[in-house]
Amino acid sequence: MRRYFSKFIPYPIGFSPSNSFPLNCEMGSYCAARSTNSHASFSGSLNEYATRAFSTTSCASLSEDQPKNNSVSNMLVDSFGRLHNYLRISLTERCNLRCQYCMPADGVELTPSPQLLTKTEILRLANLFVSSGVDKIRLTGGEPTVRKDLEDICLELSNLKGLRTLSMTTNGIALARKLPKLKECGLSSVNISLDTLVPAKFEFMTRRKGHEKVMDSINAAIDLGYYPVKVNCVVMRGFNDDEICDFVELTREKPIDVRFIEFMPFDGNVWNVKKLVPYSEMLDTVMKQFTSAKRVKDHPTDTAKNFTVDGHKGRVSFITSMTEHFCAGCNRLRILADGNFKVCLFGPSEVSLRDPLRHGAEDGELREIIGAAVKRKKASHAGMFDIAKTANRPMIHIGG
């Protein structure tokens, strides 16, 4: 098995090698709000935000609010009535960065190339899902832009009858030069990961250079008409929590949706609650400086809590997987680069679709395997502390 090892780089001034976090890292306050699936628009003072009690929505009641789609096959409906019309496909385990929250410090074992899905296998599985009711596909990695046949995959996926949205999550390093062709091939939306606006901190977090290239990719996406351009920012205490309002400023003049993501535990990323900045705290930080921020009505299957700020062209969102999970509205499934099928990001359970595919399984057999896995999906994940103790894969293996 080949291994990728992280290239050693000197720590930027002010950073400590201890726990891979700066010297000024502090515990701070930890305020986990109650679980919420509230979708009502709300505007009010900071104190109202801090004191408002959110009600918990059950899977059963929320599924009643979801749009009824008769074209969704029973294969994609779980035992709680959730319709899964969103498929994430990891194209590769390789990446041109080594982000600390994604990859262990000493690298990861890569699956040998013959054991990864081929383009033909990806397209066959995608067609099976789309013909069963999936109307959105997101391409992930590793880093999807390192795959040489990415343009061909996008072109063929975008031509699948019934697919409405073809998205991609990328670190943006190589995106600027590839995006014009990818748009021609049908890529309809893009999420770009960026965790800091400070180049030295970027190099510390990713163990590579490239901050300017990511900024160029964000601007290239805007120039090509992507609307909005989503920027994913994993917030970690003592690293970039002091940049939250700087990220919000990005939305003032440009159609950027900054999505603040709670730090999540995966194998090898040395997660602990001291590094987690909860949604409630991030929101308070934003509201203190941007008092006109207002919650907008979210779709029942949204993973983000979305806000607008008066006078800003973009918007601000929060992905609260740890402190206020959104499992009740989950409509997402995942195919990993090695062909394993995963129904929950945080669940350890996987089933191979590659093996039956290569042993000549007909579509009907594959549907049975997929449907059985979907029916085993749990009502919600186990909670952040149990997740941290549960064996899973590194994020780079699962797909961002």
Side-chain angles (χ1 to χ4, degrees):
M1 303 273 286
R2 294 183 61 186
R3 293 181 66 85
Y4 272 8
F5 292 92
S6 304
K7 180 180 178 182
F8 174 79
I9 61 171
Y11 291 96
I13 295 173
F15 286 89
S16 163
S18 175
N19 295 325
S20 298
F21 267 75
L23 291 167
N24 66 348
C25 181
E26 298 176 354
M27 172 64 175
S29 61
Y30 176 66
C31 176
R34 292 176 60 189
S35 176
T36 178
N37 284 293
S38 174
H39 308 296
S41 176
F42 177 76
S43 61
S45 69
L46 178 61
N47 288 335
E48 287 176 297
Y49 268 95
T51 58
R52 183 181 182 191
F54 289 96
S55 61
T56 302
T57 304
S58 70
C59 294
S61 62
L62 192 142
S63 66
E64 291 174 0
D65 294 333
Q66 293 183 352
K68 300 298 186 294
N69 187 348
N70 295 328
S71 66
V72 175
S73 163
N74 183 59
M75 176 187 92
L76 300 178
V77 182
D78 69 11
S79 58
F80 301 95
R82 292 174 293 199
L83 312 180
H84 296 79
N85 62 336
Y86 180 1
L87 178 66
R88 302 171 73 100
I89 303 176
S90 175
L91 298 182
T92 179
E93 296 175 351
R94 298 178 182 275
C95 188
N96 43 16
L97 295 180
R98 299 289 180 270
C99 296
Q100 294 186 30
Y101 57 79
C102 181
M103 183 182 290
D106 60 351
V108 295
E109 291 187 350
L110 294 176
T111 304
S113 295
Q115 296 179 26
L116 300 177
L117 292 178
T118 65
K119 181 184 78 171
T120 300
E121 290 169 335
I122 290 170
L123 294 173
R124 181 179 170 194
L125 289 174
N127 183 61
L128 183 66
F129 277 90
V130 172
S131 65
S132 299
V134 162
D135 59 16
K136 178 177 181 178
I137 289 177
R138 178 173 298 281
L139 303 177
T140 69
E143 170 50 38
T145 61
V146 306
R147 182 147 177 162
K148 294 180 179 179
D149 55 358
L150 174 61
E151 293 173 358
D152 293 338
I153 291 173
C154 285
L155 181 61
E156 298 204 41
L157 288 176
S158 65
N159 285 324
L160 291 178
K161 184 179 180 181
L163 188 69
R164 297 180 181 178
T165 305
L166 179 61
S167 304
M168 183 172 71
T169 296
T170 169
N171 62 32
I173 294 294
L175 183 66
R177 61 184 172 84
K178 292 176 176 283
L179 194 53
K181 182 63 175 177
L182 289 171
K183 186 173 185 182
E184 289 180 12
C185 292
L187 186 68
S188 54
S189 71
V190 62
N191 290 33
I192 302 173
S193 298
L194 180 66
D195 303 312
T196 177
L197 300 175
V198 180
K201 288 166 72 172
F202 178 91
E203 185 173 345
F204 168 77
M205 174 53 62
T206 67
R207 307 182 179 109
R208 295 291 188 273
K209 295 182 183 294
H211 185 268
E212 185 177 352
K213 292 180 179 178
V214 181
M215 298 303 295
D216 288 344
S217 291
I218 292 171
N219 289 324
I222 293 170
D223 292 342
L224 285 168
Y226 284 95
Y227 183 86
V229 175
K230 295 182 178 180
V231 174
N232 292 344
C233 177
V234 177
V235 180
M236 289 161 283
R237 191 177 304 284
F239 172 68
N240 61 353
D241 54 328
D242 60 335
E243 297 184 63
I244 289 175
C245 290
D246 294 334
F247 271 95
V248 176
E249 279 294 339
L250 292 180
T251 72
R252 186 181 295 275
E253 300 297 334
K254 296 181 179 180
I256 292 174
D257 180 0
V258 171
R259 293 147 56 89
F260 295 114
I261 303 173
E262 292 180 333
F263 184 37
M264 298 177 282
F266 293 97
D267 279 13
N269 71 352
V270 199
W271 182 91
N272 70 62
V273 73
K274 295 180 181 180
K275 300 175 184 176
L276 172 71
V277 182
Y279 159 58
S280 57
E281 184 178 331
M282 290 190 279
L283 180 59
D284 285 353
T285 298
V286 171
M287 290 297 298
K288 285 175 182 176
Q289 183 164 329
F290 301 93
T291 57
S292 65
K294 294 182 178 66
R295 179 80 179 268
V296 300
K297 186 174 183 179
D298 306 319
H299 189 276
T301 62
D302 278 352
T303 60
K305 295 173 175 62
N306 302 298
F307 292 77
T308 59
V309 180
D310 288 352
H312 286 223
K313 293 182 179 179
R315 69 179 185 179
V316 179
S317 304
F318 300 87
I319 298 179
T320 63
S321 306
M322 296 295 94
T323 63
E324 296 188 13
H325 71 73
F326 33 81
C327 300
C330 183
N331 66 337
R332 294 164 296 285
L333 302 170
R334 295 170 181 267
I335 297 176
L336 280 55
D338 63 2
N340 275 15
F341 180 55
K342 200 172 177 69
V343 297
C344 176
L345 173 63
F346 301 109
S349 300
E350 300 177 3
V351 60
S352 178
L353 299 181
R354 178 201 64 204
D355 292 347
L357 193 63
R358 293 184 179 180
H359 285 92
E362 300 291 337
D363 283 358
E365 297 172 73
L366 293 172
R367 291 180 193 275
E368 289 181 8
I369 295 169
I370 293 166
V374 171
K375 295 296 186 292
R376 292 193 295 270
K377 184 170 181 174
K378 298 183 183 300
S380 66
H381 66 60
M384 60 184 172
F385 294 108
D386 287 332
I387 292 170
K389 296 182 291 186
T390 303
N392 200 351
R393 295 216 221 179
M395 185 53 143
I396 193 166
H397 277 170
I398 298 173

